[in-house]
């Protein structure tokens, strides 16, 4: 007699729940490994990147400023205005332009730093997605280290162009214009055969 | 129908049917209860996920209170201002000669000093302006971070709910208990008793086991056969 015999126990759900719990544990573990791999991208890392950026561009600006200052000096000296307030005004404009360019570089450094940080965050998000999809912490760890390594590769940066040429040319033109209005006695100095035309500025500069 | 055997058989048959109905109802109730328990357990799990998500969301929301945003803006403006001011030119030199008239030299010094002061002020002004963008950027980074966490909790919740579908079905099936058979036996006994009472005595199995005469139904020849098909 088979009265009262129960059907076989269905444990498929228990197996599925166990698998899901294991999957969640793997994802949590994988997340921990990703976070650990990305710990390298801390504020100090981005600060260093910004300083490296500035260290690349600032010397270029500084060199260009030095050259431009020399050009201004020659320009005003050639016209006998080196120690004039007009020459000083030209130099003041150059200093303003120099400062503006340094601010632009700093602003670009911040922008580049944010771009780098966005890329890092994007990569981290991708890894989180991959971790969830694969639920395999070992794979995620390998991938995280690979991505973290590639993110540290240096990007290429373009050198600066001739940023002060406009100002120097303008200074030259300005002084040439001023020359037109000089008193006859001074203007004659710049004419062919004049004393300054023969022997250069006559000032020791630089 | 009023003889004790018929009445007793009726009662036994009714008891058998009652037991059957009771067992069926009990089993049905257990199955539904098991499914409800599985659902309740999942609801508890989902509640936990919901609390985790809520916690992450509240963290994000706390970042957007007017006070937090004002503090963040101030911090970023100060930080940006410092970056721009620190990158301002420090030594710009000059173009005057040592033999320049004093008034020119003083003018040059004044112009350079003013230019330096302008650099500092402009650096802070640009920092104040950039602070807004930087605060938005920082907000987005934090939002992205909490979004990742909430996405993961959402994945856990979604998958758990999917597994619970299986759990509910399995709990429902596993709670099934087959009838004990007592009800069926009693019903059968009741039927037999009724038959015995109806024919006016004599065991209905006598023909099966080879003893006694086969009762003949006076109404029709077809009913004169054994209840088991004429064995």
């Amino acid at each position: 007699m088979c009265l009262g015999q129960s059907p076989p126990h269905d444990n498929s759900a228990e197996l599925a729940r166990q698998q899901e719990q294991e999957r969640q544990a793997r994802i949590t573990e994988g997340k921990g490994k990703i976070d650990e791999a990305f710990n390298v991208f801390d504020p100090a890392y981005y600060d260093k990147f910004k300083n490296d950026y500035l260290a690349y561009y600032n010397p270029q600006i500084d060199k260009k400023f030095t050259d431009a200052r020399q050009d201004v000096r020659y320009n005003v000296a050639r016209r006998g205005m080196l120690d004039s307030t007009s020459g000083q005004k030209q130099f003041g404009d150059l200093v303003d332009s120099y400062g503006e360019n340094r601010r632009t570089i700093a602003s670009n450094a911040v922008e580049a730093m944010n771009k780098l940080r966005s890329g890092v965050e994007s990569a981290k998000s991708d890894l989180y997605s991959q971790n969830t999809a694969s639920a395999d912490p070992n794979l995620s760890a390998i991938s995280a280290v690979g991505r973290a390594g590639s993110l540290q590769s240096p990007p290429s940066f373009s050198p600066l162009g001739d940023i002060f040429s406009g100002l120097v040319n303008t200074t030259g033109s300005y002084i040439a214009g001023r020359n037109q209005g000089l008193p006859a006695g001074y203007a004659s100095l710049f004419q062919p055969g004049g004393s300054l035309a023969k022997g250069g500025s006559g000032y020791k500069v630089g | 129908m009023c003889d004790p055997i018929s009445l007793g058989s009726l009662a036994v048959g009714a008891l058998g049917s009652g037991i059957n109905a009771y067992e069926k109802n009990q089993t049905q109730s257990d199955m539904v209860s098991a499914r409800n328990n599985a659902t309740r357990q999942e609801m508890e799990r989902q509640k936990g996920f919901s609390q985790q998500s809520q916690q992450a969301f509240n963290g994000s929301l706390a970042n957007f209170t007017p006070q937090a945003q004002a503090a963040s803006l101030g911090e970023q403006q100060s930080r940006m201002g410092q970056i721009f001011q620190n990158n301002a030119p420090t030594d710009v030199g000059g173009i005057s000669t040592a033999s320049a008239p004093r008034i020119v030299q003083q003018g040059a010094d004044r112009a350079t000093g003013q230019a330096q002061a302008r650099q500092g002020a402009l650096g802070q002004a640009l920092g104040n302006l950039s602070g807004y963008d930087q605060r938005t950027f920082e907000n987005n980074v934090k939002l992205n971070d909490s979004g990742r966490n909430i996405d993961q909790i959402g994945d856990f919740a979604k998958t758990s709910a999917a597994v619970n579908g299986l759990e509910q079905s399995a709990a429902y099936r596993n709670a099934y208990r087959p009838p004990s058979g007592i009800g069926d036996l009693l019903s059968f006994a009741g039927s037999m008793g009724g038959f015995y009472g109806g024919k006016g005595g004599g065991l209905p199995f006598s023909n099966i086991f080879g003893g006694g005469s086969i009762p003949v139904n006076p109404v029709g020849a077809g009913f004169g056969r054994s209840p088991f098909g004429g064995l």
Side-chain angles (χ1 to χ4, degrees), chain A residues 10 58 69 73 83 88 102, chain B residues 87 92 94 96-97 173-174:
Chain A
D10 179 1
N58 276 343
R69 184 177 60 191
R73 188 177 284 159
D83 288 334
Q88 295 303 330
R102 292 275 289 212
Chain B
N87 205 48
V92 294
S96 301
T97 60
R173 274 195 303 274
N174 288 337

Side-chain angles (χ1 to χ4, degrees), chain B residues 101-149:
Chain B
R102 195 175 168 196
I103 190 167
V104 171
Q105 194 60 53
Q106 283 173 342
D109 291 346
R110 193 170 52 246
T112 307
Q114 283 170 348
Q116 298 279 40
R118 272 198 305 275
Q119 302 310 319
L122 284 169
Q124 187 53 59
L126 184 59
N128 290 343
L129 193 61
S130 303
Y132 289 93
D133 282 342
Q134 198 59 29
R135 177 187 61 175
T136 305
F137 180 78
E138 296 294 335
N139 284 343
N140 288 339
V141 169
K142 285 178 185 165
L143 276 178
N144 195 41
D145 191 44
S146 63
R148 274 194 301 255
N149 289 332

Side-chain angles (χ1 to χ4, degrees), chain A residues 6 24 32 41 59 62 77-78 95 102 112 135 138 146 149 189 191 196 199 205:
Chain A
S6 296
Q24 286 184 11
F41 302 109
D62 295 346
R78 269 195 294 271
V95 171
R102 292 275 289 212
N138 293 322
L189 294 173
Q191 300 300 320
L196 288 177
V205 293

Side-chain angles (χ1 to χ4, degrees), chain A residues 5 9-10 17 20 23 31 58 69 73 82-83 88 96 98-99 102-103 114 117-118 121 125 132, chain B residues 42 45 87 89 92 94 96-97 104 108 118-119 134 138 148 152 155 159-160 167 173-174 178:
Chain A
Q5 190 179 13
H9 184 78
D10 179 1
R17 175 61 63 190
E20 171 53 15
R23 189 187 77 94
K31 179 178 176 283
N58 276 343
R69 184 177 60 191
R73 188 177 284 159
L82 188 60
D83 288 334
Q88 295 303 330
D96 277 342
Y98 180 35
R102 292 275 289 212
R103 279 193 301 278
N114 287 345
R117 202 166 157 200
S118 294
E121 288 294 321
S125 295
T132 305
Chain B
E42 180 58 21
R45 275 190 289 266
N87 205 48
V92 294
S96 301
T97 60
V104 171
R118 272 198 305 275
Q119 302 310 319
Q134 198 59 29
E138 296 294 335
R148 274 194 301 255
Q152 188 184 298
D155 172 76
T159 317
S160 180
E167 282 175 330
R173 274 195 303 274
N174 288 337

Side-chain angles (χ1 to χ4, degrees), chain B:
Chain B
M1 190 70 185
C2 292
D3 60 294
I5 294 175
S6 297
L7 287 174
S9 300
L10 198 64
V12 169
L15 181 63
S17 297
I19 288 172
N20 270 345
Y22 171 78
E23 285 182 342
K24 190 177 173 187
N25 283 343
Q26 193 60 42
T27 299
Q28 194 69 33
S29 171
D30 287 349
M31 291 168 79
V32 170
S33 178
R35 188 168 59 189
N36 287 346
N37 276 340
T39 307
R40 266 193 290 274
Q41 282 175 8
E42 180 58 21
M43 283 168 75
E44 280 301 309
R45 275 190 289 266
Q46 292 293 331
K47 201 172 154 188
F49 291 134
S50 174
Q51 280 169 350
Q52 287 176 37
S53 293
Q54 196 67 36
Q55 203 175 349
F57 172 70
N58 286 342
S60 284
L61 204 58
N63 186 44
F64 281 92
T65 59
Q67 294 84 356
Q69 284 295 289
S72 173
L73 177 63
E75 186 190 335
Q76 294 307 327
Q77 285 179 329
S78 164
R79 183 177 158 226
M80 291 296 109
Q82 223 166 15
I83 289 174
F84 297 133
Q85 283 180 326
N86 287 346
N87 205 48
T90 47
D91 181 21
V92 294
I95 58 168
S96 301
T97 60
S99 59
R102 195 175 168 196
I103 190 167
V104 171
Q105 194 60 53
Q106 283 173 342
D109 291 346
R110 193 170 52 246
T112 307
Q114 283 170 348
Q116 298 279 40
R118 272 198 305 275
Q119 302 310 319
L122 284 169
Q124 187 53 59
L126 184 59
N128 290 343
L129 193 61
S130 303
Y132 289 93
D133 282 342
Q134 198 59 29
R135 177 187 61 175
T136 305
F137 180 78
E138 296 294 335
N139 284 343
N140 288 339
V141 169
K142 285 178 185 165
L143 276 178
N144 195 41
D145 191 44
S146 63
R148 274 194 301 255
N149 289 332
I150 290 173
D151 276 355
Q152 188 184 298
I153 297 165
D155 172 76
F156 287 179
K158 194 173 68 179
T159 317
S160 180
V163 170
N164 185 244
L166 274 176
E167 282 175 330
Q168 286 184 28
S169 303
Y172 187 76
R173 274 195 303 274
N174 288 337
Y176 174 76
R177 292 287 172 272
S180 63
I182 295 169
D184 284 342
L185 280 174
L186 289 175
S187 294
F188 179 71
S191 298
M192 291 300 104
F195 179 78
Y196 173 75
K199 86 174 184 64
L203 284 171
F205 303 109
S206 56
N207 60 328
I208 299 171
F209 302 108
S213 61
I214 296 171
V216 176
N217 192 317
V219 179
F223 289 94
R225 304 183 69 190
S226 151
F228 294 101
L231 286 170

